[in-house]
């Protein structure tokens, strides 16, 4: 590999945290060190970049973090960075520190900010997809998704024990404001009788038909997994409507919430984060900019950030069908 023109890299995490972000930070820092590139950690995302809230990181700075959830650099959403004045302040801080490239770890909002910053000031940027929702185009999986999925699955398994013991119906809400990947896969993995996701046009009558059908097959307890972004109704409203239709049902609602964001990252997320952090530095060394590092068919690929933002991963319709068939 030819000598890199990039001399100083800044790495930041922005938006919602996800398990594996620390593993990605570690990979960026150690890969940069290996290739004799200085690396600065930027605290609290773009807000920290505007304030110059940075610290120089070396191999020992990132020891013992690969197994930690959250992000040691902290994360924050910044309204000021959305303004030209805010971005100019950030650029001035980059000049002051000599940072000529950024690795930004996050989702859509993070990438949008990076794209505009790159276009306005010419700072090289490479995105690393870190979001539990798995809704970023250009990578088969995003950092944190596998861990969140396993957290949801384990929680639903525990809820099923109670549902079975008391012949109850549980509506379990999982994260996924715009995407149903966690709901679909955790629902399939836990044997839910129905899975409600934003991508699928659900109806209350179809939900009721599912209950009638499962009653006929002798099921005395049921789990319905609902993505938080389900358009039909809120999880509590769905439970209320079901209670009105089937007053004999003992119904409970469980919102899993932010527990899905936390915890030690899974093996898959640690490996993915390590590959993407390494890939981001290599991409910068090769002169790439305004792209996102991703893994597709187990290969490192680079996707224009604009595509990563505008396009979206689609739900596997066959998986939806499998879930319906196996819920009999």
């Amino acid at each position: 590999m030819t000598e890199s023109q990039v001399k100083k890299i800044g790495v930041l995490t922005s938006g919602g945290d996800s398990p594996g972000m620390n593993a990605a930070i570690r990979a960026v820092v150690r890969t940069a060190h290996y290739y004799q590139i200085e690396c600065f950690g930027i605290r609290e995302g773009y807000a920290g970049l505007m304030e110059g809230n940075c610290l120089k990181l070396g191999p020992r700075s990132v020891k013992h973090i690969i197994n930690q959830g959250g992000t040691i650099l902290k994360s924050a959403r910044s309204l000021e960075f959305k303004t030209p004045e805010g971005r100019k302040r950030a650029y001035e801080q980059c000049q002051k520190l000599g940072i000529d490239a950024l690795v930004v770890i996050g989702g859509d909002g993070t990438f949008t900010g990076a794209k505009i910053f790159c276009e306005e000031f010419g700072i090289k940027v490479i995105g690393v997809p870190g979001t539990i929702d798995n809704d970023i185009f250009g990578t088969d999986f995003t950092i944190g998704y596998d861990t969140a999925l396993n957290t949801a699955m384990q929680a639903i398994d525990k809820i099923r024990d109670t549902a079975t013991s008391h012949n109850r119906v549980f509506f379990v809400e999982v994260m996924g404001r715009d995407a149903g990947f966690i709901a679909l896969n955790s629902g399939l993995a836990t044997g839910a009788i129905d899975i409600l996701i934003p991508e699928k046009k659900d109806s209350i009558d179809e939900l009721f038909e599912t209950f009638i059908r499962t009653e006929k097959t002798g099921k005395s307890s049921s789990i319905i997994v609902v993505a938080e972004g389900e358009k039909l109704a809120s999880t509590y409203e769905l439970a209320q409507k079901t209670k009105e239709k089937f007053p004999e049902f003992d119904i409970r609602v469980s919102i899993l919430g932010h527990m899905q964001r936390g915890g030690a990252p899974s093996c898959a997320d640690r490996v993915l984060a390590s590959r993407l952090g390494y890939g981001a530095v290599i991409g910068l060394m090769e002169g790439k900019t305004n792209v996102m590092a991703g893994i597709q068919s187990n290969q490192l690929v680079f996707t224009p950030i604009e595509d990563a933002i505008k396009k979206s991963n689609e739900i596997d319709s066959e998986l939806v069908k499998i879930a319906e068939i196996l819920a009999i």
Side-chain angles (χ1 to χ4, degrees):
M1 187 175 291
T2 57
E3 188 182 349
S4 171
Q5 291 182 333
V6 174
K7 300 300 179 190
K8 287 187 182 179
I9 290 174
V11 58
L12 62 83
T13 51
S14 175
D17 64 299
S18 61
M21 279 184 166
N22 281 327
I25 294 165
R26 173 180 178 269
V28 169
V29 172
R30 291 191 171 177
T31 305
H33 177 81
Y34 182 86
Y35 289 109
Q36 298 179 320
I37 299 170
E38 281 190 82
C39 191
F40 284 84
I42 299 160
R43 292 182 178 276
E44 298 185 352
Y46 293 123
L49 185 59
M50 290 184 294
E51 298 297 329
N53 188 359
C54 308
L55 65 161
K56 192 172 178 182
L57 298 176
R60 300 284 67 79
S61 310
V62 290
K63 66 181 181 181
H64 308 318
I65 69 168
I66 193 169
N67 60 327
Q68 291 178 19
T71 161
I72 61 162
L73 292 176
K74 308 291 185 184
S75 187
R77 290 182 168 88
S78 172
L79 291 175
E80 193 182 348
F81 190 75
K82 292 182 178 180
T83 68
E85 297 78 16
R87 292 190 294 274
K88 187 171 186 294
R89 280 181 62 204
Y91 175 64
E92 286 166 357
Q93 292 293 348
C94 287
Q95 284 189 308
K96 194 170 159 185
L97 292 161
I99 291 172
D100 48 16
L102 291 175
V103 175
V104 297
I105 306 167
D108 280 352
T110 304
F111 293 166
T112 301
K115 175 180 176 289
I116 296 168
F117 192 54
C118 172
E119 289 167 354
E120 283 181 346
F121 297 104
I123 296 278
K124 291 184 175 69
V125 298
I126 288 195
V128 171
T131 167
I132 66 168
D133 290 340
N134 203 44
D135 58 347
I136 304 275
F137 178 83
T139 187
D140 292 339
F141 300 106
T142 58
I143 296 168
Y145 169 64
D146 185 71
T147 307
L149 195 53
N150 279 287
T151 299
M153 181 187 74
Q154 289 159 12
I156 296 167
D157 280 346
K158 290 179 172 72
I159 289 167
R160 179 175 288 285
D161 291 345
T162 292
T164 305
S165 298
H166 296 275
N167 292 342
R168 281 178 179 154
V169 172
F170 267 90
F171 284 83
V172 183
E173 182 181 292
V174 300
M175 279 187 155
R177 194 172 58 237
D178 303 305
F181 292 97
I182 293 176
L184 176 57
N185 285 272
S186 64
L188 176 58
T190 54
I193 66 158
D194 207 349
I195 302 163
L196 306 178
I197 56 177
E199 296 89 340
K200 195 159 59 86
K201 198 172 180 182
D202 297 306
S203 81
I204 197 74
D205 289 334
E206 285 174 342
L207 176 63
F208 292 164
E209 284 169 18
T210 299
F211 282 118
I212 293 165
R213 188 171 64 248
T214 53
E215 266 194 317
K216 285 177 181 174
T217 60
K219 281 195 177 183
S220 56
S221 64
S222 303
I223 301 281
I224 299 90
V225 176
V226 186
E228 64 178 319
E230 166 58 33
K231 295 177 175 66
L232 182 59
S234 75
T235 307
Y236 284 106
E237 287 169 340
L238 289 168
Q240 181 60 39
K241 288 178 180 178
T242 303
K243 183 67 177 175
E244 288 167 7
K245 176 71 175 177
F246 304 98
E248 72 278 13
F249 283 5
D250 187 1
I251 298 174
R252 296 288 186 276
V253 173
S254 186
I255 312 289
L256 299 190
H258 282 77
M259 67 178 288
Q260 294 159 89
R261 282 200 190 281
S266 65
C267 178
D269 272 330
R270 295 182 201 191
V271 173
L272 175 65
S274 298
R275 292 184 72 183
L276 293 178
Y278 159 85
V281 176
I282 296 302
L284 288 171
M285 290 175 65
E286 291 175 348
K288 292 180 171 63
T289 185
N290 223 350
V291 296
M292 180 196 79
I295 301 290
Q296 289 183 322
S297 302
N298 209 28
Q299 298 295 313
L300 176 67
V301 297
F302 294 95
T303 302
I305 283 182
E306 187 168 10
D307 289 347
I309 296 165
K310 287 186 176 176
K311 299 179 182 178
S312 60
N313 280 344
E314 292 186 2
I315 286 285
D316 186 340
S317 57
E318 188 175 40
L319 215 54
V320 174
K321 187 66 179 173
I322 291 168
E324 288 173 2
I325 290 170
L326 301 189
I328 294 171

